[in-house]
């Protein structure tokens, strides 16, 4: 799933036909002197033009018999476009897809099962927030590409003025206490809008709950469990330590705009959001820091939703060996380290977290990624997000509704949506 980033954090990716490198067992392209040409769909803003250029050059050197034609796709409407491509005889050879979209595409039978490749790709060290949604019914279709998750972006000067040491915040209780101390003198301790359901999901996972569970082939919403209710209770306490709207999400209004006004001590965001805050208010340059969302105990960071992408190969591709060579190179350790540094992403393996140690935002993100989760791994989840009863539930509780009653209503809506197509 594409993470909702702050507006303006995009990195321009140029659409181009790029020559590259490779295999030999695939169908050859007579017009290119016997080499194989693969078509690759990458998503806009996934990598910078410079990284793409560098990767293709490196891949070209390593695989001189493969040519690569990259087409940049837009996120809007991509689900329908990929579904149509998978059902045709003219599918691309490699597709970048949001990690939580893989199940939807795998259900159709249009993706190549890559389970036998997991070990050689280092799958035992993959981030589970990418690898788990990349699997469907016990088979691995999506290969983890990159990840990003939320951290706390904070004002270092406001923390210092309030006598709060961000490095000492290791638990949720400590986070609450620090935020309460910051919430004074016209400063919001935290700007947390009422419908930031990805952040709520982390608190629910911390408590041992989930958004939905599967039983007997059917899915059931579980916001009404004791664990999920406790997660919402914590969200309500934290949200009250600021004046964030209770009936909208982090995009309405854009929380970067709110923080840039200078009266917000913290927001929960991907690290790239700090760049937009500074763009809106250059006086805040050098005054923003990062720390992982705290967990219930000091030894474990808070659970986070892992957004990002996987790479898949359509079964309709006639150049699957070359497509796999492309994926193996791009998701291998060498290029994953370079990608993490270039884009401030979390690499696809826990063993590569050290690659971003020098980047404060990415380093905080990598700590949280170790406790990364994804939404329920089923095609039916798309129906939930289409109307998103979780947002309505959050607003209802934050405005005084009975938590158990509202959670039951939302859980019933999730259950209906997830099973509507079964």
């Amino acid at each position: 799933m594409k993470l909702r980033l702050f507006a303006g954090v995009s990195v321009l990716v140029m659409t181009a036909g790029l020559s590259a490198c490779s295999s030999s067992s695939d169908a050859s392209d007579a017009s290119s002197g016997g080499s194989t040409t693969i078509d690759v769909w990458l998503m806009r803003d996934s990598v910078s033009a410079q990284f793409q250029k560098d990767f293709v050059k490196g891949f070209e050197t390593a695989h001189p018999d493969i040519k690569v034609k990259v087409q940049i796709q837009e996120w809007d409407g991509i689900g329908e476009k990929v579904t149509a491509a998978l059902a045709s005889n003219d599918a691309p050879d490699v597709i970048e897809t949001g990690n939580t979209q893989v199940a939807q595409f795998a259900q159709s039978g249009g993706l190549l099962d890559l389970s036998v490749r997991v070990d050689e790709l280092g799958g035992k060290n993959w981030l589970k927030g990418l690898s788990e949604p990349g699997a469907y019914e016990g088979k691995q279709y999506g290969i983890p590409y990159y990840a990003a998750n939320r951290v706390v972006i904070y004002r270092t000067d406001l923390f210092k003025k309030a006598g709060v040491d961000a490095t000492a915040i290791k638990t949720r209780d400590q986070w609450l206490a620090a935020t309460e101390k910051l919430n004074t003198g016209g400063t919001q301790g935290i700007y947390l809008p009422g419908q930031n359901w990805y952040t709520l999901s982390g608190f629910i996972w911390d408590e041992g709950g989930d958004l939905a569970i599967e039983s007997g082939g059917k899915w059931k919403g579980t916001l009404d469990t004791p664990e999920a209710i406790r997660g919402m209770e914590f969200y309500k306490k934290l949200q009250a330590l600021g004046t964030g709207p209770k009936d909208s999400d982090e995009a309405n209004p854009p929380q970067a705009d709110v923080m840039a006004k200078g009266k917000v001590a913290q927001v929960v965001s991907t690290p790239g959001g700090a760049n937009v805050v500074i763009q809106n208010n250059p006086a805040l340059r050098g005054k923003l820091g990062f720390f992982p969302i705290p967990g219930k105990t000091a030894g474990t960071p808070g659970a986070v939703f892992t957004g990002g992408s996987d790479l898949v190969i359509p079964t309709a591709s006639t150049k699957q060996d070359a497509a796999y060579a492309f994926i193996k190179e791009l998701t291998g350790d060498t290029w994953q380290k370079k990608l993490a540094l270039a884009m401030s992403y979390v690499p696809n393996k826990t063993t590569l977290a050290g690659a971003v140690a020098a980047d404060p935002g990415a380093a905080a993100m990598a700590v949280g990624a170790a406790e990364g989760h994804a939404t329920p791994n089923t095609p039916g989840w798309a129906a939930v997000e289409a109307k998103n009863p979780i947002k309505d539930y959050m607003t209802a509780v934050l405005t005084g509704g009975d938590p158990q009653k509202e959670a039951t209503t939302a859980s019933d809506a999730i259950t209906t949506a997830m099973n509507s197509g079964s």
Side-chain angles (χ1 to χ4, degrees):
M1 177 180 292
K2 182 192 177 193
L3 278 172
R4 170 173 277 172
L5 302 177
F6 279 117
V9 185
S10 62
V11 180
L12 180 63
V13 182
M14 303 299 293
T15 303
L18 301 174
S19 65
C21 350
S22 136
S23 149
S24 51
S25 60
D26 295 316
S28 62
D29 185 340
S31 66
S32 56
S35 64
T36 297
T37 299
I38 59 173
D39 292 311
V40 177
W41 285 8
L42 297 181
M43 300 309 300
R44 184 168 300 283
D45 302 341
S46 65
V47 298
S48 66
Q50 185 62 51
F51 177 85
Q52 183 173 302
K53 178 180 178 181
D54 291 345
F55 173 74
V56 169
K57 182 178 179 181
F59 185 63
E60 181 176 10
T61 300
H63 304 272
D65 298 325
I66 302 176
K67 286 185 176 295
V68 179
K69 186 169 74 172
V70 175
Q71 297 181 45
I72 301 302
Q73 305 296 321
E74 303 294 337
W75 284 103
D76 288 344
I78 190 60
E80 294 82 358
K81 188 170 184 178
V82 171
T83 298
L86 295 179
S88 73
N89 294 322
D90 190 31
D93 303 293
V94 177
I95 300 174
E96 174 191 346
T97 179
N99 57 329
T100 61
Q101 295 176 318
V102 176
Q104 174 187 350
F105 302 140
Q107 184 186 42
S108 70
L111 299 184
L112 183 67
D113 177 8
L114 296 169
S115 301
V116 297
R117 303 288 198 175
V118 170
D119 287 344
E120 66 186 78
L121 292 174
K124 67 179 180 180
N125 295 316
W126 281 339
L127 297 176
K128 63 181 181 179
L130 291 179
S131 62
E132 289 179 358
Y136 180 65
E137 294 187 341
K139 297 179 180 179
Q140 193 74 38
Y141 296 95
I143 304 304
Y145 179 18
Y146 66 83
N149 51 261
R150 288 162 177 77
V151 299
V152 180
I153 301 177
Y154 74 98
R155 285 276 301 276
T156 56
D157 55 333
L158 294 180
F159 269 56
K160 183 177 181 180
K161 181 179 178 181
V164 175
D165 179 4
T167 64
I169 301 175
K170 302 297 183 183
T171 69
R172 291 195 332 203
D173 286 343
Q174 291 171 344
W175 191 21
L176 274 179
T179 303
E180 187 170 5
K181 194 172 182 181
L182 290 156
N183 193 42
T184 183
T187 296
Q188 294 186 57
I190 188 169
Y191 178 81
L192 183 62
Q195 295 183 347
N196 191 332
W197 69 279
Y198 287 124
T199 298
L200 169 64
S201 298
F203 301 154
I204 291 174
W205 291 322
D206 278 342
E207 295 289 348
D210 212 331
L211 305 176
I213 59 172
E214 183 181 18
S215 178
K218 296 288 185 179
W219 284 87
K220 183 180 186 303
T222 52
L223 293 179
D224 54 347
T225 62
E227 295 84 0
I229 294 291
R230 289 197 298 270
M232 185 63 214
E233 288 173 350
F234 179 79
Y235 190 99
K236 185 175 182 179
K237 291 178 182 177
L238 186 65
Q239 200 272 338
L241 298 174
T243 60
K246 294 177 171 57
D247 60 352
S248 63
D249 61 22
E250 60 269 40
N252 298 294
Q255 59 182 1
D257 294 351
V258 179
M259 192 174 198
K261 292 178 181 178
K263 296 295 184 179
V264 171
Q266 305 171 87
V267 293
V268 178
S269 166
T270 53
N275 296 331
V276 183
V277 174
I278 294 168
Q279 288 171 14
N280 290 340
N281 185 354
L284 295 181
R285 186 177 302 278
K287 297 180 180 179
L288 299 179
F290 312 86
F291 60 86
I293 294 174
K296 288 191 69 176
T297 62
T300 305
V304 292
F305 168 75
T306 301
S309 288
D310 285 4
L311 297 172
V312 300
I313 300 175
T315 54
S317 169
T318 60
K319 305 165 186 176
Q320 294 175 355
D321 287 350
Y324 175 70
F326 179 93
I327 289 178
K328 184 177 181 180
E329 192 91 9
L330 187 51
T331 64
D333 290 5
T334 297
W335 285 102
Q336 280 293 302
K337 291 177 182 178
K338 293 178 180 179
L339 178 63
L341 292 173
M343 302 298 297
S344 292
Y345 285 153
V346 178
N348 62 2
K349 300 182 184 73
T350 57
T351 50
L352 299 179
V356 293
D359 182 327
M365 192 163 55
V367 172
E371 295 297 321
H373 292 250
T375 50
N377 188 18
T378 171
W381 186 254
V384 176
E385 290 199 25
K387 294 186 177 180
N388 211 327
I390 305 174
K391 288 186 172 184
D392 295 335
Y393 157 64
M394 296 174 73
T395 294
V397 173
L398 293 175
T399 54
D402 177 75
Q404 188 66 57
K405 178 182 176 181
E406 300 297 343
T408 299
T409 298
S411 294
D412 289 345
I414 291 173
T415 299
T416 299
M418 295 188 77
N419 296 301
S420 60
S422 61

